[in-house]
Amino acid sequence: MKNKIFTALCILFGLMMINSGLNKFFNYMPMPEMSEEMMQIMGGFMTIKWIFPLVAIIEIIGGALMAIPKTRALGAIVILPVMVGIFVHHLVHDLSGIGIALILFAINIWAIIVHWNKYESIIKGE
């Protein structure tokens, strides 16, 4: 049962990341109302023209890898820097979105813990 819940959560996580990445390219979901501080932050991101496409590509690749059980360990590591950024951003600038960010971050950490044995040789330098 626990394995089925984990698999379902990882698939949903992957689909959410793929959706988020695709939305950065195609803008099919409306942006929520933003505060003045958030508008300035987003303006800063927009001036760095390569940052959103890079994050979008990582979200799409990492999400797809997370959704597939064989590649889930790799997907969890690929998407981790983006998840840290999302979590810290909501923690510092937009507490209203911290709930979903925390849930997604927890799923990502859970996937890393489940697949920890696959990372041991990298960490040990073998």
Side-chain angles (χ1 to χ4, degrees):
M1 181 68 172
K2 182 178 165 184
N3 194 24
K4 288 181 183 182
I5 292 171
F6 175 69
T7 299
L9 287 175
C10 286
I11 290 170
L12 288 173
F13 176 95
L15 292 174
M16 288 183 76
M17 290 294 108
I18 292 168
N19 181 54
S20 178
L22 290 174
N23 188 53
K24 285 178 179 59
F25 286 121
F26 301 115
N27 299 314
Y28 54 85
M29 293 186 332
M31 289 286 287
E33 187 89 17
M34 289 190 275
S35 67
E36 183 62 36
E37 180 187 25
M38 283 296 297
M39 294 288 280
Q40 289 176 344
I41 292 166
M42 293 303 277
F45 285 144
M46 293 299 183
T47 60
I48 307 171
K49 299 205 183 308
W50 55 267
I51 199 83
F52 270 150
L54 176 65
V55 170
I57 289 167
I58 296 298
E59 286 176 339
I60 293 166
I61 292 170
L65 291 170
M66 276 287 286
I68 301 167
K70 270 190 155 180
T71 59
R72 190 164 292 144
L74 178 59
I77 293 299
V78 167
I79 203 79
L80 182 63
V82 172
M83 282 310 308
V84 169
I86 291 168
F87 179 72
V88 171
H89 171 79
H90 284 289
L91 188 65
V92 174
H93 297 292
D94 183 25
L95 273 177
S96 65
I98 194 71
I100 189 70
L102 183 61
I103 291 168
L104 292 173
F105 190 56
I107 293 168
N108 192 188
I109 296 300
W110 188 13
I112 290 171
I113 291 168
V114 166
H115 296 288
W116 188 254
N117 61 328
K118 295 179 180 180
Y119 310 126
E120 282 184 311
S121 62
I122 297 169
I123 293 168
K124 290 179 182 176
E126 296 174 357

Short mmCIF file of all heavy atoms in Angstrom, two decimals, residues 51-120:
data_model
loop_
_atom_site.label_atom_id
_atom_site.label_comp_id
_atom_site.label_asym_id
_atom_site.label_seq_id
_atom_site.Cartn_x
_atom_site.Cartn_y
_atom_site.Cartn_z
N ILE A 51 16.87 32.34 -17.79
CA ILE A 51 16.56 31.64 -16.54
C ILE A 51 15.24 30.87 -16.61
O ILE A 51 15.18 29.71 -16.19
CB ILE A 51 16.61 32.58 -15.32
CG1 ILE A 51 16.74 31.79 -14.01
CG2 ILE A 51 15.40 33.45 -15.21
CD1 ILE A 51 18.12 31.42 -13.68
N PHE A 52 14.18 31.46 -17.14
CA PHE A 52 12.89 30.75 -17.20
C PHE A 52 12.92 29.57 -18.16
O PHE A 52 12.42 28.50 -17.82
CB PHE A 52 11.74 31.70 -17.54
CG PHE A 52 11.11 32.33 -16.32
CD1 PHE A 52 10.53 33.58 -16.41
CD2 PHE A 52 11.07 31.68 -15.10
CE1 PHE A 52 9.95 34.18 -15.29
CE2 PHE A 52 10.49 32.25 -13.99
CZ PHE A 52 9.93 33.51 -14.09
N PRO A 53 13.50 29.70 -19.36
CA PRO A 53 13.60 28.51 -20.21
C PRO A 53 14.42 27.39 -19.57
O PRO A 53 14.06 26.21 -19.68
CB PRO A 53 14.27 29.02 -21.48
CG PRO A 53 13.95 30.47 -21.51
CD PRO A 53 13.91 30.92 -20.08
N LEU A 54 15.50 27.74 -18.88
CA LEU A 54 16.31 26.73 -18.20
C LEU A 54 15.51 26.01 -17.12
O LEU A 54 15.49 24.78 -17.06
CB LEU A 54 17.57 27.34 -17.60
CG LEU A 54 18.44 26.40 -16.79
CD1 LEU A 54 19.03 25.30 -17.67
CD2 LEU A 54 19.55 27.16 -16.09
N VAL A 55 14.83 26.77 -16.28
CA VAL A 55 14.01 26.18 -15.22
C VAL A 55 12.90 25.33 -15.82
O VAL A 55 12.61 24.23 -15.34
CB VAL A 55 13.44 27.28 -14.28
CG1 VAL A 55 12.41 26.70 -13.32
CG2 VAL A 55 14.56 27.95 -13.51
N ALA A 56 12.29 25.81 -16.91
CA ALA A 56 11.21 25.06 -17.56
C ALA A 56 11.72 23.73 -18.08
O ALA A 56 11.07 22.69 -17.90
CB ALA A 56 10.61 25.89 -18.69
N ILE A 57 12.87 23.73 -18.72
CA ILE A 57 13.44 22.49 -19.26
C ILE A 57 13.75 21.52 -18.13
O ILE A 57 13.46 20.32 -18.22
CB ILE A 57 14.67 22.80 -20.12
CG1 ILE A 57 14.22 23.47 -21.42
CG2 ILE A 57 15.47 21.52 -20.42
CD1 ILE A 57 15.34 24.10 -22.22
N ILE A 58 14.33 22.02 -17.04
CA ILE A 58 14.64 21.16 -15.89
C ILE A 58 13.36 20.61 -15.28
O ILE A 58 13.28 19.43 -14.91
CB ILE A 58 15.46 21.92 -14.83
CG1 ILE A 58 16.81 22.34 -15.39
CG2 ILE A 58 15.63 21.10 -13.56
CD1 ILE A 58 17.71 21.20 -15.82
N GLU A 59 12.31 21.43 -15.19
CA GLU A 59 11.03 20.96 -14.65
C GLU A 59 10.43 19.87 -15.54
O GLU A 59 9.93 18.86 -15.02
CB GLU A 59 10.04 22.11 -14.52
CG GLU A 59 10.34 23.03 -13.36
CD GLU A 59 9.42 24.23 -13.28
OE1 GLU A 59 8.79 24.60 -14.30
OE2 GLU A 59 9.33 24.82 -12.19
N ILE A 60 10.49 20.04 -16.84
CA ILE A 60 9.93 19.05 -17.76
C ILE A 60 10.72 17.75 -17.70
O ILE A 60 10.14 16.66 -17.55
CB ILE A 60 9.87 19.61 -19.19
CG1 ILE A 60 8.87 20.76 -19.27
CG2 ILE A 60 9.52 18.50 -20.19
CD1 ILE A 60 8.97 21.59 -20.54
N ILE A 61 12.03 17.84 -17.79
CA ILE A 61 12.87 16.63 -17.75
C ILE A 61 12.77 15.95 -16.39
O ILE A 61 12.56 14.74 -16.29
CB ILE A 61 14.33 16.97 -18.10
CG1 ILE A 61 14.45 17.38 -19.57
CG2 ILE A 61 15.26 15.79 -17.80
CD1 ILE A 61 15.79 17.97 -19.95
N GLY A 62 12.95 16.73 -15.31
CA GLY A 62 12.87 16.17 -13.96
C GLY A 62 11.51 15.57 -13.66
O GLY A 62 11.40 14.51 -13.06
N GLY A 63 10.45 16.25 -14.10
CA GLY A 63 9.09 15.73 -13.89
C GLY A 63 8.87 14.42 -14.63
O GLY A 63 8.28 13.48 -14.07
N ALA A 64 9.32 14.36 -15.87
CA ALA A 64 9.17 13.12 -16.64
C ALA A 64 9.96 11.98 -16.00
O ALA A 64 9.46 10.85 -15.89
CB ALA A 64 9.63 13.34 -18.09
N LEU A 65 11.17 12.27 -15.56
CA LEU A 65 11.99 11.24 -14.90
C LEU A 65 11.35 10.78 -13.59
O LEU A 65 11.41 9.59 -13.26
CB LEU A 65 13.40 11.77 -14.65
CG LEU A 65 14.28 11.99 -15.89
CD1 LEU A 65 15.55 12.74 -15.52
CD2 LEU A 65 14.60 10.68 -16.58
N MET A 66 10.76 11.71 -12.84
CA MET A 66 10.10 11.34 -11.58
C MET A 66 8.87 10.48 -11.80
O MET A 66 8.55 9.62 -10.99
CB MET A 66 9.67 12.59 -10.80
CG MET A 66 10.74 13.22 -9.97
SD MET A 66 11.15 12.30 -8.48
CE MET A 66 9.73 12.65 -7.47
N ALA A 67 8.17 10.69 -12.89
CA ALA A 67 6.93 9.95 -13.15
C ALA A 67 7.20 8.50 -13.56
O ALA A 67 6.34 7.65 -13.39
CB ALA A 67 6.11 10.66 -14.23
N ILE A 68 8.39 8.23 -14.08
CA ILE A 68 8.74 6.89 -14.54
C ILE A 68 9.51 6.18 -13.43
O ILE A 68 10.59 6.64 -13.02
CB ILE A 68 9.59 6.97 -15.82
CG1 ILE A 68 8.83 7.70 -16.93
CG2 ILE A 68 10.02 5.57 -16.27
CD1 ILE A 68 9.67 8.10 -18.11
N PRO A 69 9.01 5.06 -12.93
CA PRO A 69 9.66 4.39 -11.79
C PRO A 69 11.14 4.05 -12.01
O PRO A 69 11.94 4.21 -11.09
CB PRO A 69 8.83 3.12 -11.61
CG PRO A 69 7.48 3.49 -12.11
CD PRO A 69 7.73 4.42 -13.27
N LYS A 70 11.53 3.63 -13.19
CA LYS A 70 12.93 3.26 -13.44
C LYS A 70 13.89 4.44 -13.34
O LYS A 70 15.06 4.26 -13.03
CB LYS A 70 13.08 2.62 -14.82
CG LYS A 70 12.92 1.14 -14.83
CD LYS A 70 13.31 0.61 -16.19
CE LYS A 70 13.73 -0.83 -16.03
NZ LYS A 70 14.12 -1.46 -17.26
N THR A 71 13.41 5.64 -13.64
CA THR A 71 14.28 6.82 -13.67
C THR A 71 14.00 7.77 -12.51
O THR A 71 14.53 8.89 -12.49
CB THR A 71 14.11 7.57 -15.00
OG1 THR A 71 12.73 7.97 -15.14
CG2 THR A 71 14.52 6.70 -16.17
N ARG A 72 13.20 7.34 -11.56
CA ARG A 72 12.78 8.21 -10.47
C ARG A 72 13.95 8.72 -9.62
O ARG A 72 13.95 9.88 -9.20
CB ARG A 72 11.78 7.47 -9.58
CG ARG A 72 11.11 8.36 -8.57
CD ARG A 72 9.88 7.70 -8.01
NE ARG A 72 8.87 7.59 -9.06
CZ ARG A 72 8.03 6.57 -9.17
NH1 ARG A 72 8.07 5.58 -8.32
NH2 ARG A 72 7.15 6.54 -10.15
N ALA A 73 14.95 7.89 -9.38
CA ALA A 73 16.10 8.32 -8.57
C ALA A 73 16.83 9.48 -9.25
O ALA A 73 17.21 10.46 -8.60
CB ALA A 73 17.05 7.15 -8.34
N LEU A 74 17.02 9.38 -10.55
CA LEU A 74 17.67 10.46 -11.30
C LEU A 74 16.78 11.70 -11.31
O LEU A 74 17.27 12.82 -11.10
CB LEU A 74 17.98 10.00 -12.73
CG LEU A 74 18.60 11.03 -13.66
CD1 LEU A 74 19.92 11.54 -13.09
CD2 LEU A 74 18.79 10.45 -15.04
N GLY A 75 15.49 11.52 -11.54
CA GLY A 75 14.56 12.64 -11.56
C GLY A 75 14.52 13.41 -10.24
O GLY A 75 14.46 14.64 -10.24
N ALA A 76 14.60 12.68 -9.14
CA ALA A 76 14.57 13.32 -7.82
C ALA A 76 15.77 14.24 -7.61
O ALA A 76 15.65 15.31 -7.02
CB ALA A 76 14.52 12.26 -6.72
N ILE A 77 16.93 13.83 -8.14
CA ILE A 77 18.13 14.66 -8.01
C ILE A 77 18.11 15.81 -9.01
O ILE A 77 18.50 16.93 -8.69
CB ILE A 77 19.40 13.78 -8.19
CG1 ILE A 77 19.53 12.80 -7.04
CG2 ILE A 77 20.65 14.63 -8.32
CD1 ILE A 77 19.68 13.44 -5.67
N VAL A 78 17.64 15.55 -10.22
CA VAL A 78 17.59 16.60 -11.25
C VAL A 78 16.67 17.74 -10.81
O VAL A 78 17.01 18.91 -10.98
CB VAL A 78 17.12 16.00 -12.61
CG1 VAL A 78 16.74 17.08 -13.60
CG2 VAL A 78 18.19 15.10 -13.19
N ILE A 79 15.53 17.41 -10.24
CA ILE A 79 14.54 18.43 -9.90
C ILE A 79 14.82 19.09 -8.53
O ILE A 79 14.25 20.15 -8.23
CB ILE A 79 13.11 17.83 -9.95
CG1 ILE A 79 12.04 18.92 -10.15
CG2 ILE A 79 12.79 17.03 -8.71
CD1 ILE A 79 11.90 19.37 -11.53
N LEU A 80 15.70 18.52 -7.73
CA LEU A 80 15.95 19.04 -6.38
C LEU A 80 16.35 20.52 -6.35
O LEU A 80 15.77 21.27 -5.55
CB LEU A 80 16.99 18.18 -5.65
CG LEU A 80 17.31 18.61 -4.21
CD1 LEU A 80 16.07 18.48 -3.33
CD2 LEU A 80 18.45 17.77 -3.66
N PRO A 81 17.29 21.00 -7.16
CA PRO A 81 17.63 22.44 -7.09
C PRO A 81 16.45 23.36 -7.39
O PRO A 81 16.29 24.41 -6.77
CB PRO A 81 18.73 22.61 -8.14
CG PRO A 81 19.27 21.25 -8.36
CD PRO A 81 18.16 20.30 -8.10
N VAL A 82 15.60 22.95 -8.33
CA VAL A 82 14.42 23.75 -8.65
C VAL A 82 13.46 23.75 -7.46
O VAL A 82 12.90 24.79 -7.10
CB VAL A 82 13.73 23.22 -9.93
CG1 VAL A 82 12.40 23.92 -10.17
CG2 VAL A 82 14.64 23.38 -11.13
N MET A 83 13.27 22.58 -6.84
CA MET A 83 12.38 22.50 -5.68
C MET A 83 12.89 23.33 -4.51
O MET A 83 12.11 23.97 -3.81
CB MET A 83 12.18 21.04 -5.25
CG MET A 83 11.21 20.27 -6.11
SD MET A 83 9.61 21.08 -6.38
CE MET A 83 9.10 21.49 -4.74
N VAL A 84 14.20 23.32 -4.29
CA VAL A 84 14.77 24.16 -3.23
C VAL A 84 14.47 25.62 -3.54
O VAL A 84 14.05 26.38 -2.65
CB VAL A 84 16.29 23.91 -3.07
CG1 VAL A 84 16.92 24.96 -2.17
CG2 VAL A 84 16.54 22.52 -2.51
N GLY A 85 14.65 26.03 -4.79
CA GLY A 85 14.36 27.41 -5.18
C GLY A 85 12.90 27.77 -4.99
O GLY A 85 12.58 28.85 -4.48
N ILE A 86 12.01 26.87 -5.38
CA ILE A 86 10.57 27.12 -5.22
C ILE A 86 10.22 27.25 -3.74
O ILE A 86 9.52 28.18 -3.32
CB ILE A 86 9.75 25.99 -5.87
CG1 ILE A 86 9.89 26.05 -7.39
CG2 ILE A 86 8.28 26.06 -5.46
CD1 ILE A 86 9.37 24.81 -8.11
N PHE A 87 10.72 26.31 -2.93
CA PHE A 87 10.42 26.32 -1.49
C PHE A 87 10.95 27.60 -0.83
O PHE A 87 10.22 28.28 -0.09
CB PHE A 87 11.00 25.07 -0.82
CG PHE A 87 10.75 25.03 0.65
CD1 PHE A 87 9.48 24.78 1.14
CD2 PHE A 87 11.78 25.26 1.55
CE1 PHE A 87 9.23 24.74 2.51
CE2 PHE A 87 11.55 25.23 2.91
CZ PHE A 87 10.28 24.97 3.39
N VAL A 88 12.21 27.94 -1.08
CA VAL A 88 12.81 29.14 -0.46
C VAL A 88 12.10 30.40 -0.94
O VAL A 88 11.86 31.32 -0.15
CB VAL A 88 14.32 29.19 -0.71
CG1 VAL A 88 14.91 30.52 -0.26
CG2 VAL A 88 15.01 28.03 0.00
N HIS A 89 11.77 30.45 -2.23
CA HIS A 89 11.06 31.62 -2.75
C HIS A 89 9.74 31.83 -2.00
O HIS A 89 9.43 32.94 -1.56
CB HIS A 89 10.78 31.45 -4.25
CG HIS A 89 9.88 32.50 -4.80
ND1 HIS A 89 10.33 33.76 -5.10
CD2 HIS A 89 8.55 32.49 -5.05
CE1 HIS A 89 9.30 34.48 -5.53
NE2 HIS A 89 8.21 33.72 -5.52
N HIS A 90 8.96 30.76 -1.85
CA HIS A 90 7.68 30.89 -1.14
C HIS A 90 7.88 31.18 0.33
O HIS A 90 7.10 31.92 0.93
CB HIS A 90 6.82 29.64 -1.34
CG HIS A 90 6.19 29.60 -2.70
ND1 HIS A 90 5.17 30.44 -3.07
CD2 HIS A 90 6.45 28.82 -3.77
CE1 HIS A 90 4.82 30.19 -4.31
NE2 HIS A 90 5.58 29.21 -4.77
N LEU A 91 8.91 30.63 0.91
CA LEU A 91 9.20 30.87 2.32
C LEU A 91 9.55 32.34 2.57
O LEU A 91 9.10 32.94 3.55
CB LEU A 91 10.35 29.96 2.78
CG LEU A 91 10.66 29.93 4.26
CD1 LEU A 91 9.49 29.34 5.04
CD2 LEU A 91 11.92 29.12 4.50
N VAL A 92 10.30 32.94 1.67
CA VAL A 92 10.78 34.31 1.86
C VAL A 92 9.83 35.36 1.28
O VAL A 92 9.60 36.40 1.90
CB VAL A 92 12.19 34.46 1.24
CG1 VAL A 92 12.67 35.90 1.28
CG2 VAL A 92 13.18 33.54 1.93
N HIS A 93 9.27 35.10 0.09
CA HIS A 93 8.54 36.15 -0.61
C HIS A 93 7.03 35.95 -0.72
O HIS A 93 6.31 36.91 -0.96
CB HIS A 93 9.09 36.31 -2.04
CG HIS A 93 10.51 36.74 -2.08
ND1 HIS A 93 10.93 37.97 -1.67
CD2 HIS A 93 11.63 36.06 -2.47
CE1 HIS A 93 12.24 38.06 -1.81
NE2 HIS A 93 12.68 36.92 -2.29
N ASP A 94 6.55 34.72 -0.62
CA ASP A 94 5.13 34.47 -0.90
C ASP A 94 4.61 33.34 -0.03
O ASP A 94 4.43 32.22 -0.50
CB ASP A 94 4.97 34.13 -2.39
CG ASP A 94 3.53 33.92 -2.80
OD1 ASP A 94 2.64 34.48 -2.14
OD2 ASP A 94 3.31 33.20 -3.79
N LEU A 95 4.38 33.63 1.24
CA LEU A 95 3.95 32.59 2.17
C LEU A 95 2.62 31.95 1.81
O LEU A 95 2.34 30.83 2.24
CB LEU A 95 3.88 33.16 3.59
CG LEU A 95 5.19 33.10 4.38
CD1 LEU A 95 5.03 33.75 5.74
CD2 LEU A 95 5.68 31.68 4.53
N SER A 96 1.82 32.63 1.00
CA SER A 96 0.52 32.04 0.65
C SER A 96 0.67 30.75 -0.16
O SER A 96 -0.20 29.90 -0.14
CB SER A 96 -0.32 33.05 -0.14
OG SER A 96 0.30 33.34 -1.38
N GLY A 97 1.78 30.58 -0.86
CA GLY A 97 2.00 29.38 -1.66
C GLY A 97 2.89 28.35 -1.00
O GLY A 97 3.28 27.36 -1.62
N ILE A 98 3.22 28.55 0.27
CA ILE A 98 4.16 27.65 0.95
C ILE A 98 3.60 26.24 1.14
O ILE A 98 4.35 25.28 1.15
CB ILE A 98 4.63 28.25 2.31
CG1 ILE A 98 5.86 27.50 2.85
CG2 ILE A 98 3.53 28.21 3.34
CD1 ILE A 98 7.11 27.76 2.09
N GLY A 99 2.29 26.10 1.25
CA GLY A 99 1.68 24.79 1.49
C GLY A 99 1.99 23.80 0.38
O GLY A 99 2.54 22.72 0.63
N ILE A 100 1.67 24.16 -0.86
CA ILE A 100 1.91 23.26 -1.98
C ILE A 100 3.41 23.08 -2.20
O ILE A 100 3.87 21.98 -2.54
CB ILE A 100 1.19 23.72 -3.26
CG1 ILE A 100 1.27 22.65 -4.36
CG2 ILE A 100 1.74 25.02 -3.77
CD1 ILE A 100 0.46 21.42 -4.08
N ALA A 101 4.19 24.15 -2.00
CA ALA A 101 5.65 24.05 -2.15
C ALA A 101 6.22 23.05 -1.13
O ALA A 101 7.10 22.25 -1.46
CB ALA A 101 6.30 25.42 -1.98
N LEU A 102 5.72 23.10 0.09
CA LEU A 102 6.18 22.18 1.13
C LEU A 102 5.81 20.73 0.81
O LEU A 102 6.62 19.82 0.98
CB LEU A 102 5.61 22.59 2.49
CG LEU A 102 6.05 21.78 3.70
CD1 LEU A 102 7.57 21.86 3.88
CD2 LEU A 102 5.36 22.27 4.95
N ILE A 103 4.60 20.53 0.32
CA ILE A 103 4.17 19.17 -0.05
C ILE A 103 5.03 18.62 -1.18
O ILE A 103 5.51 17.49 -1.11
CB ILE A 103 2.67 19.17 -0.43
CG1 ILE A 103 1.82 19.43 0.80
CG2 ILE A 103 2.28 17.86 -1.10
CD1 ILE A 103 0.36 19.75 0.51
N LEU A 104 5.25 19.42 -2.22
CA LEU A 104 6.08 18.97 -3.34
C LEU A 104 7.52 18.73 -2.92
O LEU A 104 8.16 17.75 -3.33
CB LEU A 104 6.01 19.97 -4.49
CG LEU A 104 4.67 20.07 -5.20
CD1 LEU A 104 4.67 21.21 -6.21
CD2 LEU A 104 4.29 18.76 -5.86
N PHE A 105 8.05 19.60 -2.08
CA PHE A 105 9.41 19.43 -1.57
C PHE A 105 9.52 18.15 -0.75
O PHE A 105 10.50 17.40 -0.86
CB PHE A 105 9.81 20.66 -0.74
CG PHE A 105 11.27 20.72 -0.38
CD1 PHE A 105 12.25 20.67 -1.36
CD2 PHE A 105 11.66 20.82 0.94
CE1 PHE A 105 13.59 20.74 -1.03
CE2 PHE A 105 13.00 20.89 1.28
CZ PHE A 105 13.97 20.85 0.30
N ALA A 106 8.51 17.87 0.06
CA ALA A 106 8.50 16.65 0.87
C ALA A 106 8.47 15.40 0.00
O ALA A 106 9.16 14.40 0.27
CB ALA A 106 7.32 16.66 1.84
N ILE A 107 7.68 15.43 -1.08
CA ILE A 107 7.64 14.29 -2.01
C ILE A 107 9.01 14.09 -2.65
O ILE A 107 9.49 12.96 -2.77
CB ILE A 107 6.55 14.49 -3.08
CG1 ILE A 107 5.16 14.46 -2.44
CG2 ILE A 107 6.66 13.43 -4.18
CD1 ILE A 107 4.04 14.92 -3.35
N ASN A 108 9.66 15.18 -3.02
CA ASN A 108 10.99 15.10 -3.63
C ASN A 108 12.00 14.50 -2.64
O ASN A 108 12.78 13.60 -3.00
CB ASN A 108 11.42 16.50 -4.07
CG ASN A 108 12.63 16.51 -4.96
OD1 ASN A 108 13.16 17.58 -5.26
ND2 ASN A 108 13.10 15.38 -5.42
N ILE A 109 11.97 14.95 -1.40
CA ILE A 109 12.88 14.41 -0.37
C ILE A 109 12.56 12.94 -0.11
O ILE A 109 13.48 12.12 0.04
CB ILE A 109 12.79 15.25 0.93
CG1 ILE A 109 13.27 16.69 0.67
CG2 ILE A 109 13.59 14.60 2.05
CD1 ILE A 109 14.70 16.81 0.17
N TRP A 110 11.29 12.59 -0.07
CA TRP A 110 10.89 11.19 0.13
C TRP A 110 11.45 10.32 -0.99
O TRP A 110 11.98 9.23 -0.74
CB TRP A 110 9.37 11.10 0.20
CG TRP A 110 8.82 9.76 0.59
CD1 TRP A 110 9.50 8.70 1.12
CD2 TRP A 110 7.46 9.33 0.50
NE1 TRP A 110 8.64 7.65 1.36
CE2 TRP A 110 7.39 8.01 0.98
CE3 TRP A 110 6.29 9.94 0.06
CZ2 TRP A 110 6.20 7.28 1.03
CZ3 TRP A 110 5.11 9.22 0.12
CH2 TRP A 110 5.07 7.91 0.60
N ALA A 111 11.38 10.79 -2.22
CA ALA A 111 11.91 10.02 -3.35
C ALA A 111 13.42 9.84 -3.22
O ALA A 111 13.96 8.77 -3.53
CB ALA A 111 11.57 10.71 -4.67
N ILE A 112 14.10 10.87 -2.75
CA ILE A 112 15.56 10.75 -2.54
C ILE A 112 15.85 9.73 -1.45
O ILE A 112 16.74 8.88 -1.60
CB ILE A 112 16.17 12.13 -2.21
CG1 ILE A 112 16.14 13.01 -3.47
CG2 ILE A 112 17.59 11.99 -1.67
CD1 ILE A 112 16.50 14.45 -3.25
N ILE A 113 15.11 9.77 -0.36
CA ILE A 113 15.32 8.82 0.74
C ILE A 113 15.05 7.39 0.29
O ILE A 113 15.83 6.48 0.59
CB ILE A 113 14.44 9.21 1.96
CG1 ILE A 113 14.95 10.51 2.57
CG2 ILE A 113 14.41 8.09 2.99
CD1 ILE A 113 14.00 11.14 3.58
N VAL A 114 13.97 7.19 -0.46
CA VAL A 114 13.63 5.84 -0.93
C VAL A 114 14.74 5.28 -1.82
O VAL A 114 15.05 4.09 -1.77
CB VAL A 114 12.28 5.86 -1.68
CG1 VAL A 114 12.06 4.58 -2.47
CG2 VAL A 114 11.14 6.08 -0.70
N HIS A 115 15.36 6.13 -2.61
CA HIS A 115 16.39 5.68 -3.55
C HIS A 115 17.81 5.95 -3.06
O HIS A 115 18.75 5.96 -3.86
CB HIS A 115 16.17 6.36 -4.90
CG HIS A 115 14.88 5.97 -5.55
ND1 HIS A 115 14.68 4.73 -6.10
CD2 HIS A 115 13.73 6.64 -5.71
CE1 HIS A 115 13.46 4.65 -6.58
NE2 HIS A 115 12.84 5.81 -6.34
N TRP A 116 17.96 6.18 -1.76
CA TRP A 116 19.26 6.54 -1.21
C TRP A 116 20.36 5.55 -1.58
O TRP A 116 21.50 5.94 -1.84
CB TRP A 116 19.17 6.70 0.31
CG TRP A 116 20.42 7.25 0.89
CD1 TRP A 116 21.36 6.59 1.60
CD2 TRP A 116 20.88 8.60 0.78
NE1 TRP A 116 22.38 7.44 1.96
CE2 TRP A 116 22.11 8.68 1.46
CE3 TRP A 116 20.38 9.74 0.17
CZ2 TRP A 116 22.84 9.86 1.53
CZ3 TRP A 116 21.12 10.91 0.25
CH2 TRP A 116 22.33 10.96 0.93
N ASN A 117 20.04 4.27 -1.62
CA ASN A 117 21.06 3.26 -1.94
C ASN A 117 21.65 3.48 -3.34
O ASN A 117 22.80 3.09 -3.59
CB ASN A 117 20.47 1.85 -1.83
CG ASN A 117 19.31 1.62 -2.79
OD1 ASN A 117 18.56 2.54 -3.11
ND2 ASN A 117 19.15 0.40 -3.24
N LYS A 118 20.93 4.10 -4.23
CA LYS A 118 21.43 4.37 -5.58
C LYS A 118 22.42 5.54 -5.60
O LYS A 118 23.18 5.68 -6.56
CB LYS A 118 20.28 4.65 -6.53
CG LYS A 118 19.39 3.44 -6.73
CD LYS A 118 18.25 3.72 -7.65
CE LYS A 118 17.39 2.47 -7.79
NZ LYS A 118 16.25 2.66 -8.67
N TYR A 119 22.41 6.36 -4.58
CA TYR A 119 23.31 7.52 -4.52
C TYR A 119 24.57 7.24 -3.70
O TYR A 119 25.52 8.01 -3.76
CB TYR A 119 22.61 8.73 -3.89
CG TYR A 119 21.26 9.07 -4.48
CD1 TYR A 119 20.15 9.18 -3.66
CD2 TYR A 119 21.09 9.27 -5.82
CE1 TYR A 119 18.91 9.50 -4.17
CE2 TYR A 119 19.84 9.59 -6.35
CZ TYR A 119 18.77 9.70 -5.53
OH TYR A 119 17.54 10.02 -6.03
N GLU A 120 24.57 6.17 -2.93
CA GLU A 120 25.69 5.90 -2.01
C GLU A 120 27.04 5.83 -2.71
O GLU A 120 28.02 6.39 -2.22
CB GLU A 120 25.43 4.62 -1.22
CG GLU A 120 24.46 4.81 -0.09
CD GLU A 120 24.29 3.57 0.75
OE1 GLU A 120 24.08 2.48 0.16
OE2 GLU A 120 24.36 3.69 1.98
#
